[in-house]
């Protein structure tokens, strides 16, 4: 009933920044427990990046992006963001936005999420 749509991906040099957006259609993200970002690089498994709850904005990050990425949400705009700084070639991947309708302790596991966007490509050149 909610469809995330990602945008903001592109090509950037190492050390640069990008901000990804995930806009909701159909229903509001705020009806969900949490929104998360995942990524999948070529030849790799889907990887958890960050998650944020709508109730209080609590955010949690994968160790690989801590200190570099920031997840946030704007309820009025029905949008979540992923600010990515100090990008590295290892960050190259398709980034997906996902929503969890209900609480799950396994927030880093894709199976905890009910709604997925189509993804947006992020390419970091060296």
């Amino acid at each position: 009933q909610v469809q995330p749509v990602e945008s903001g991906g592109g090509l950037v040099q190492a050390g640069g920044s990008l901000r990804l957006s995930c806009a909701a259609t159909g229903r509001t993200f705020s009806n969900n427990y949490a929104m998360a970002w995942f990524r999948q690089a070529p030849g790799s498994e889907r990887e958890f990046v960050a998650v944020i709850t709508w109730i209080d904005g609590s955010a949690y990050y994968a160790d690989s992006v801590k200190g570099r990425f920031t997840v946030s949400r704007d309820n009025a705009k029905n949008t979540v963001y992923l600010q990515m700084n100090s990008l590295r070639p290892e960050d190259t991947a398709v980034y997906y936005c996902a929503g969890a309708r209900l609480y799950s302790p396994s927030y880093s596991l894709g199976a905890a999420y009910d709604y997925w966007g189509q993804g947006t490509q992020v390419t970091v050149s060296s």
Side-chain angles (χ1 to χ4, degrees):
Q1 292 184 296
V2 61
Q3 177 63 57
V5 179
E6 302 96 334
S7 63
L11 175 64
V12 65
Q13 288 189 327
S17 299
L18 284 173
R19 188 182 73 162
L20 305 184
S21 298
C22 177
T25 60
R27 302 190 71 180
T28 62
F29 285 150
S30 60
N31 289 328
N32 295 287
Y33 182 80
M35 299 297 298
W37 290 94
F38 286 75
R39 66 187 183 185
Q40 187 165 19
S44 300
E45 298 293 324
R46 186 176 298 172
E47 176 188 22
F48 168 77
V49 176
V51 63
I52 187 167
T53 66
W54 285 101
I55 293 296
D56 60 4
S58 298
Y60 303 91
Y61 300 90
D63 289 340
S64 59
V65 306
K66 284 181 180 177
R68 300 189 298 122
F69 292 10
T70 303
V71 64
S72 61
R73 83 267 195 264
D74 187 331
N75 189 57
K77 296 182 179 179
N78 204 24
T79 302
V80 297
Y81 305 95
L82 184 68
Q83 178 66 46
M84 305 185 295
N85 299 325
S86 302
L87 283 163
R88 304 195 281 248
E90 309 91 88
D91 297 316
T92 295
V94 176
Y95 283 71
Y96 298 92
C97 180
R101 182 70 180 89
L102 302 174
Y103 166 81
S104 172
S106 302
Y107 61 81
S108 64
L109 189 64
Y113 299 88
D114 305 296
Y115 322 113
W116 293 84
Q118 298 298 309
T120 185
Q121 176 69 231
V122 172
T123 302
V124 184
S125 63
S126 60

